[in-house]
Amino acid sequence: MRSSSRLFATYAAASLLPVVALGALLLQDYRGDAAAQGREQGLAQAEVIARMVIAPVLNSGGSSTLGDADLSRRGLTAEQFERMREATQIAVYDGSVQHLRVRGFTGRVIFSDDGSTGSGVPVSDPDFRSAASGHPQARVVTGRTRTIRVMRPLFLNTGQSVGVLEVYLPYQRIDDRLQAQLVHTSKRIAGGLVALYLVLGLLAWWTTRSLSRYAADQRHNALHDALTGLPNLAAFRTWAEAGLAESLRDGQPGAVVLVDLNRFKEVNDTLGHHAGDELLRIVADRFRARLGERDILARLGGDEFALFLPGRTGPEAVALLAKIRERLSEEMVLDGVPLSIEASFGIALFPEHGGRLEELKQRADIAMYQGKRGTADIVVYSGDGIGHSHQWLVVQAELRHALERGELVLHYQPKVNLADGEVRALEALVRWQHPQRGLVPPGDFLPAAEHSGLIVPLTEWVLRRALTDQVGWSAAGQQWAVSVNVSARNLEVPGFPELVANLLAETGTPARRLVLEVTETALAGDGEAAARVIGEIAALGVGISVDDFGAGYTSLSHLREVPVDEIKIDRGFVSDVIDDPRSRAIVRSVIELAHGLGSRATAEGVETAEIYRWLVEAGCDEAQGYLIGRPVPWPQVAPEFEVPKTVSETERAVR
């Protein structure tokens, strides 16, 4: 509000200056117009005197007198002089004329109302010269009183110019009338400008208040969750970092807590997203009811919340969270369905577990997931008993640098058509060329990347690199498609379809040459949101593949909702088809399911010729595995695989 008031005051002061200047300019122009009007009236009155008083007298002389073109030589007869005196005496007497002279071109005074023959306007005066040449002039002169002086030529009936009329007319009456008009007009101008200024001021006040409120709303929205009104991740990071620095400076303990609601997805899937939104609002209100003034509560996204609890020891933080847990678990009714909600709490204490907010968040996250896997729902971080926690932190830090330093490489494993052994596509598999540990397999770093969110920039790098390589092998004459794995987190990132489209355009790769392999976990999460994102990607022309089918939790309804081009049968079933009847039944069912959906069936983990031949007989479309080819840089991929004639021949060849 102070900023809005300052802005309005600045605008009011700044707008007052041009309004005042406009008023002054209008008044000045009107004054000039009034003076010009006075001169015009003077010229008109002098015209009447010249035509009605002077000209008749001059035209009354004899023909010999009239023949002289200059009154300086011609003069006036006694009769003319007397008639002119009588005619002008009335005008002077009634005040319509103050003084009048008739002069020749040499400046000689031929007649004067007061009988004087001297003074008058000098012959060298521009007004006299102009009048002598036939052009009348009027000027307001100031003496004891303001007077209009008119210099105009005198003409005979013949049209001949014979002299100059110098007449002084009273200006006071004209000036009084003009001043009255000026005052009246000034009031109207002033009233109009004041009204204009007030209207502009009102508009400025309304605009500045609206802009101030809009800016405040934008600042609030940028830092708060729209659904619950809680601070968002950005606000939590800013405020918690400031609170952490203050607490550490003052030697005060505290805790950073991450909270994840249990079975929230079930509420969304069962009752709908509107019920899930209402549940989140209720949870936020119940959190607020148990927190102190200095405590910070934020919604990080989805069903995950964060707490910053300054000034609390470990036992105090646990006691507070126990009260919050009890309040959260109280029964609520959503869409007529009574239910209770549970949550998992992970606690990291400062300064015991670290002095940086990001470090504390990571350790609270580890504690929270440990609680989800165990029996306790409030867990304080401890390095003991968490096998990968410290190692993951190290891997995450090194992986960030690996992305920056270009230490990642792609190897490709071919997928072949089972009927003829022709390579149809290459699956991109990321490797880490570690400067100390050598070539690191994906299983050693992808879980840590997935857990920290590094999977997002990592997937973008893989996509860009794979599409660039695809351009390379297309130029070499190989029309292979390229498959890239994406995770659930990629599908949750806003703008992921736009990223794929931009990378296709950037590399000039046709969309049909790219296949995105989505894990069953991604589809089993927020199925509706995942289906929407996958639909947008498929609309680009990109192929969609369901990876590791059978090992996750994908329901048939998920497959019905997404456009699937390929279903990859999990290697756990493929490897047992020779010895396990149940695996054979499952693989055959998946092949039939894929064909029924209009998709390709691709078998993973094909390592023997016997399995290869069985898949051919079962009607499987494509396969990949160590029998066909191990992951290698793309120039080392053979364009064809020799289809085994018999099991024994191929096994002997492999041996």
Side-chain angles (χ1 to χ4, degrees):
M1 291 301 296
R2 287 196 299 270
S3 176
S4 176
S5 300
R6 287 196 299 269
L7 181 62
F8 173 70
T10 301
Y11 176 83
S15 61
L16 182 61
L17 295 177
V19 169
V20 172
L22 176 61
L25 181 61
L26 291 174
L27 290 177
Q28 182 180 356
D29 289 345
Y30 188 78
R31 287 180 185 275
D33 292 341
Q37 184 179 356
R39 290 193 296 271
E40 291 294 332
Q41 290 185 12
L43 287 171
Q45 191 171 347
E47 178 75 13
V48 172
I49 293 172
R51 289 182 179 274
M52 303 301 294
V53 177
I54 306 300
V57 173
L58 294 179
N59 284 300
S60 66
S63 59
S64 61
T65 304
L66 294 176
D68 198 336
D70 187 352
L71 287 175
S72 297
R73 293 190 298 274
R74 166 185 163 182
L76 297 176
T77 66
E79 181 184 357
Q80 289 175 324
F81 189 89
E82 184 61 25
R83 289 182 61 186
M84 189 173 292
R85 185 183 65 78
E86 291 176 354
T88 58
Q89 188 176 20
I90 297 174
V92 172
Y93 179 78
D94 67 10
S96 61
V97 175
Q98 290 183 340
H99 190 45
L100 181 147
R101 293 188 183 92
V102 176
R103 304 174 63 178
F105 292 137
T106 62
R108 174 190 170 190
V109 177
I110 305 302
F111 173 82
S112 174
D113 65 286
D114 59 0
S116 62
T117 58
S119 69
V121 175
V123 177
S124 60
D125 188 279
D127 289 353
F128 187 93
R129 292 201 305 271
S130 178
S133 62
H135 304 288
Q137 297 293 327
R139 185 185 302 275
V140 178
V141 296
T142 303
R144 285 179 297 179
T145 59
R146 301 184 73 190
T147 305
I148 299 177
R149 186 190 72 190
V150 181
M151 308 290 292
R152 78 171 310 280
L154 291 172
F155 296 97
L156 299 178
N157 288 341
T158 60
Q160 187 178 26
S161 177
V162 295
V164 175
L165 173 63
E166 180 181 346
V167 61
Y168 292 85
L169 305 172
Y171 183 70
Q172 190 60 45
R173 282 180 294 180
I174 298 175
D175 188 46
D176 290 344
R177 185 170 67 254
L178 293 177
Q179 288 299 324
Q181 293 177 354
L182 182 61
V183 169
H184 178 68
T185 304
S186 299
K187 290 180 179 179
R188 294 178 64 183
I189 291 175
L193 290 176
V194 168
L196 174 63
Y197 180 72
L198 292 177
V199 170
L200 292 176
L202 181 62
L203 289 175
W205 175 81
W206 181 82
T207 302
T208 51
R209 281 182 62 86
S210 297
L211 289 175
S212 178
R213 288 175 178 174
Y214 176 76
D217 289 343
Q218 291 297 101
R219 288 193 297 270
H220 183 274
N221 293 338
L223 296 175
H224 290 79
D225 171 54
L227 179 63
T228 63
L230 295 176
N232 59 17
L233 175 59
F236 180 77
R237 183 181 293 116
T238 300
W239 299 341
E241 284 180 348
L244 178 62
E246 180 181 356
S247 297
L248 293 176
R249 184 176 61 249
D250 297 340
Q252 295 294 317
V256 172
V257 183
L258 292 187
V259 186
D260 190 82
L261 304 183
N262 299 335
R263 296 187 297 278
F264 174 73
K265 181 180 178 299
E266 295 179 9
V267 177
N268 269 340
D269 292 345
T270 305
L271 302 179
H273 286 279
H274 68 283
D277 292 344
E278 180 62 23
L279 172 61
L280 291 173
R281 283 190 285 266
I282 294 174
V283 166
D285 291 339
R286 292 184 175 183
F287 264 118
R288 292 189 187 101
R290 290 289 187 267
L291 295 176
E293 293 183 358
R294 295 180 59 201
D295 300 330
I296 299 174
L297 168 66
R299 182 188 176 206
L300 304 186
D303 60 346
E304 189 172 4
F305 296 82
L307 292 165
F308 179 77
L309 308 175
R312 300 180 190 272
T313 63
E316 290 172 341
V318 171
L320 173 65
L321 296 179
K323 294 179 181 178
I324 293 175
R325 176 188 59 188
E326 181 180 353
R327 181 73 176 94
L328 289 179
S329 62
E330 292 178 5
E331 186 176 277
M332 66 185 76
V333 178
L334 295 177
D335 282 0
V337 178
L339 55 87
S340 60
I341 194 72
E342 297 178 354
S344 297
F345 300 81
I347 307 173
L349 304 173
F350 59 84
E352 293 97 313
H353 300 146
R356 294 183 302 105
L357 179 63
E358 199 62 34
E359 181 181 23
L360 292 168
K361 279 181 57 185
Q362 288 177 343
R363 292 180 171 175
D365 191 45
I366 292 170
M368 180 185 70
Y369 278 100
Q370 184 189 19
K372 280 184 171 295
R373 293 191 299 268
T375 57
D377 49 13
I378 300 177
V379 178
V380 179
Y381 171 80
S382 171
D384 299 333
I386 306 178
H388 58 256
S389 60
H390 176 71
Q391 184 61 30
W392 273 17
L393 293 175
V394 174
V395 170
Q396 290 164 8
E398 290 186 346
L399 188 55
R400 293 181 192 275
H401 294 301
L403 282 166
E404 297 170 359
R405 293 193 292 254
E407 295 176 358
L408 301 179
V409 295
L410 287 186
H411 285 187
Y412 295 91
Q413 187 172 32
K415 290 194 292 185
V416 301
N417 180 29
L418 279 168
D420 57 16
E422 180 183 352
V423 175
R424 296 292 180 84
L426 303 185
E427 180 180 356
L429 301 171
V430 66
R431 302 289 188 266
W432 181 359
Q433 191 65 53
H434 196 281
Q436 283 81 40
R437 290 184 280 155
L439 195 64
V440 180
D444 289 354
F445 62 89
L446 284 183
E450 180 80 28
H451 189 75
S452 67
L454 278 173
I455 194 68
V456 175
L458 177 61
T459 302
E460 181 178 350
W461 180 90
V462 172
L463 271 170
R464 179 176 279 106
R465 180 72 263 171
L467 291 175
T468 302
D469 287 346
Q470 204 275 344
V471 172
W473 67 61
S474 294
Q478 302 297 344
Q479 303 304 310
W480 302 324
V482 63
S483 295
V484 176
N485 293 278
V486 296
S487 72
R489 289 215 179 188
N490 296 123
L491 300 180
E492 295 169 357
V493 175
F496 183 66
E498 289 78 7
L499 170 65
V500 174
N502 292 337
L503 290 176
L504 288 170
E506 178 184 316
T507 58
T509 303
R512 67 180 183 279
R513 296 283 182 82
L514 173 63
V515 177
L516 295 186
E517 298 191 6
V518 183
T519 62
E520 279 195 286
T521 305
L523 294 178
D526 190 347
E528 182 178 337
R532 183 176 63 253
V533 175
I534 291 172
E536 293 177 12
I537 295 172
L540 300 173
V542 175
I544 302 298
S545 172
V546 178
D547 195 16
D548 299 330
F549 187 81
Y553 305 96
T554 303
S555 67
L556 296 181
S557 62
H558 290 140
L559 292 179
R560 184 181 59 185
E561 294 168 359
V562 298
V564 177
D565 298 285
E566 178 186 49
I567 293 179
K568 300 184 73 174
I569 309 168
D570 184 73
R571 66 180 66 246
F573 300 109
V574 174
S575 61
D576 291 338
V577 293
I578 302 302
D579 302 319
D580 186 357
R582 290 174 297 182
S583 293
R584 287 197 295 272
I586 291 173
V587 172
R588 288 185 186 275
S589 298
V590 174
I591 293 172
E592 292 178 5
L593 173 64
H595 292 164
L597 294 173
S599 307
R600 301 186 309 276
T602 300
E604 297 183 284
V606 179
E607 298 185 0
T608 68
E610 191 174 4
I611 294 175
Y612 188 104
R613 296 301 303 174
W614 186 92
L615 291 170
V616 172
E617 294 171 0
C620 190
D621 302 297
E622 297 179 358
Q624 67 182 113
Y626 284 176
L627 174 70
I628 299 164
R630 293 176 178 269
V632 292
W634 74 260
Q636 300 178 25
V637 176
E640 290 183 350
F641 168 71
E642 184 178 351
V643 178
K645 299 293 190 300
T646 65
V647 174
S648 58
E649 289 179 4
T650 303
E651 287 182 341
R652 285 196 299 271
V654 171
R655 294 193 189 100

